[in-house]
């Protein structure tokens, strides 16, 4: 009796082992791979949670570097236009000097016209190169790092938080007499710094509000 029971138990265990051995290897590999992926995902989630817990400001986009940076580079167009003007005038002067004046025009007249254009070009490039591009960054302690650059020159300033007042929008007019608006940061220690300009007053007001909010609600 006992021998028969042991034989039956052995036959059952043999059938179970044969059934497990008949499982396709691919299925067993998929189960192992899925278990490994779950383990890796769990570990990665734990590491990310620990990093965010140590650096609570990492997920706060309003205090990111790009949010606290203000760029005003409208002067780049003026720089490029002045350089293009002088380059074309130089090419025209070289062509005229190489080939001479046209037969139906007086050389004296052409020289006078070129002189007028060179005087205008010199004034244009002098005025354009005085226009500054601004890159302003609000630091975490409220200070301002300001980079003022022109062609062939750059000036970096550090403005203390106590010297910074507020950003305001000023009404102005462009060369055609149309309304033009400028967003400027008022400072106690030096002239205001312009961080934006354009014909859209609402956009300039939003720019001023963003600066005042970030500088007034610093870390």
């Amino acid at each position: 009796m006992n021998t028969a029971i042991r034989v039956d138990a052995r036959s059952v265990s043999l059938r179970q082992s044969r059934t497990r051995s008949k499982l396709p290897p691919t299925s067993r590999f998929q189960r192992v791979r899925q278990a490994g992926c779950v383990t890796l995902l769990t570990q990665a989630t734990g590491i990310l949670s620990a990093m965010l817990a140590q650096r609570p400001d990492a997920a706060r986009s309003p205090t990111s570097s790009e949010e606290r940076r203000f760029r005003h580079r409208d002067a780049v167009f003026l720089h490029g236009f002045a350089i293009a003007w002088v380059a074309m005038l130089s090419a025209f002067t070289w062509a005229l000097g190489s080939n001479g004046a046209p037969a139906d025009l007086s050389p004296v007249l052409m020289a006078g016209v070129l002189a007028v254009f060179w005087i205008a070009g010199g004034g244009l490039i002098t005025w354009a190169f005085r226009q500054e591009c601004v890159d302003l960054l609000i630091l975490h302690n409220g200070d301002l790092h300001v980079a003022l650059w022109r062609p062939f020159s750059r000036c970096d300033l550090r403005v203390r938080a106590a010297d910074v007042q507020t950003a305001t929008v000023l009404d102005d007019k462009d060369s055609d007499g149309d309304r033009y608006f400028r967003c400027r940061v008022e400072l106690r220690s030096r002239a205001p710094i312009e961080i934006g300009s354009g014909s859209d007053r609402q956009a300039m007001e939003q720019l001023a509000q963003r600066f005042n909010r970030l500088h007034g609600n610093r870390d």
Side-chain angles (χ1 to χ4, degrees):
M1 182 69 177
N2 293 335
T3 303
I5 292 174
R6 284 197 297 270
V7 170
D8 291 341
R10 289 177 181 176
S11 61
V12 170
S13 62
L14 286 173
R15 284 196 299 269
Q16 290 178 350
S17 62
R18 289 173 182 174
T19 302
R20 287 194 298 270
S21 63
K22 290 179 180 180
L23 289 175
T26 305
S27 301
R28 292 197 298 271
F29 175 73
Q30 289 178 350
R31 288 199 301 271
V32 172
R33 185 176 61 179
Q34 291 174 358
C37 291
V38 171
T39 302
L40 291 176
L41 182 60
T42 303
Q43 293 177 353
T45 304
I47 294 173
L48 181 60
S49 300
M51 292 174 62
L52 292 177
Q54 293 176 358
R55 297 186 59 186
D57 293 338
R60 293 173 54 192
S61 59
T63 58
S64 65
S65 176
E66 285 302 315
E67 177 69 14
R68 291 181 283 108
R69 187 179 299 276
F70 296 81
R71 295 185 176 94
H72 183 39
R73 298 182 177 176
D74 290 355
V76 171
F77 172 77
L78 299 176
H79 300 159
F81 181 79
I83 293 173
W85 175 284
V86 173
M88 289 188 296
L89 187 57
S90 300
F92 186 74
T93 303
W94 176 83
L96 185 62
S98 300
N99 304 324
D104 55 342
L105 293 177
S106 171
V108 176
L109 177 62
M110 291 301 300
V113 171
L114 278 179
V116 171
F117 275 96
W118 271 111
I119 293 173
L124 173 64
I125 200 168
T126 301
W127 173 80
F129 278 18
R130 288 179 178 175
Q131 308 305 311
E132 295 176 331
C133 294
V134 178
D135 191 346
L136 182 148
L137 177 64
I138 303 176
L139 304 179
H140 286 288
N141 62 353
D143 291 355
L144 304 183
H145 178 268
V146 184
L148 306 174
W149 56 272
R150 308 169 183 172
F152 316 115
S153 67
R154 176 188 172 101
C155 177
D156 290 278
L157 304 175
R158 180 72 175 259
V159 183
R160 297 181 306 170
D163 293 334
V164 181
Q165 294 181 308
T166 58
T168 58
V169 178
L170 302 179
D171 291 350
D172 200 354
K173 291 184 179 181
D174 59 13
S175 58
D176 296 329
D178 298 329
R179 299 188 67 184
Y180 199 74
F181 306 98
R182 303 181 184 276
C183 180
R184 293 180 175 177
V185 178
E186 302 292 337
L187 304 175
R188 293 186 176 90
S189 57
R190 68 182 308 274
I193 297 175
E194 189 172 296
I195 60 174
S197 62
S199 58
D200 188 351
R201 182 182 181 88
Q202 184 178 1
M204 293 299 103
E205 289 179 347
Q206 291 176 354
L207 184 64
Q209 291 173 2
R210 182 163 71 93
F211 177 87
N212 294 331
R213 173 176 56 84
L214 291 172
H215 188 264
N217 298 301
R218 56 185 180 272
D219 293 343

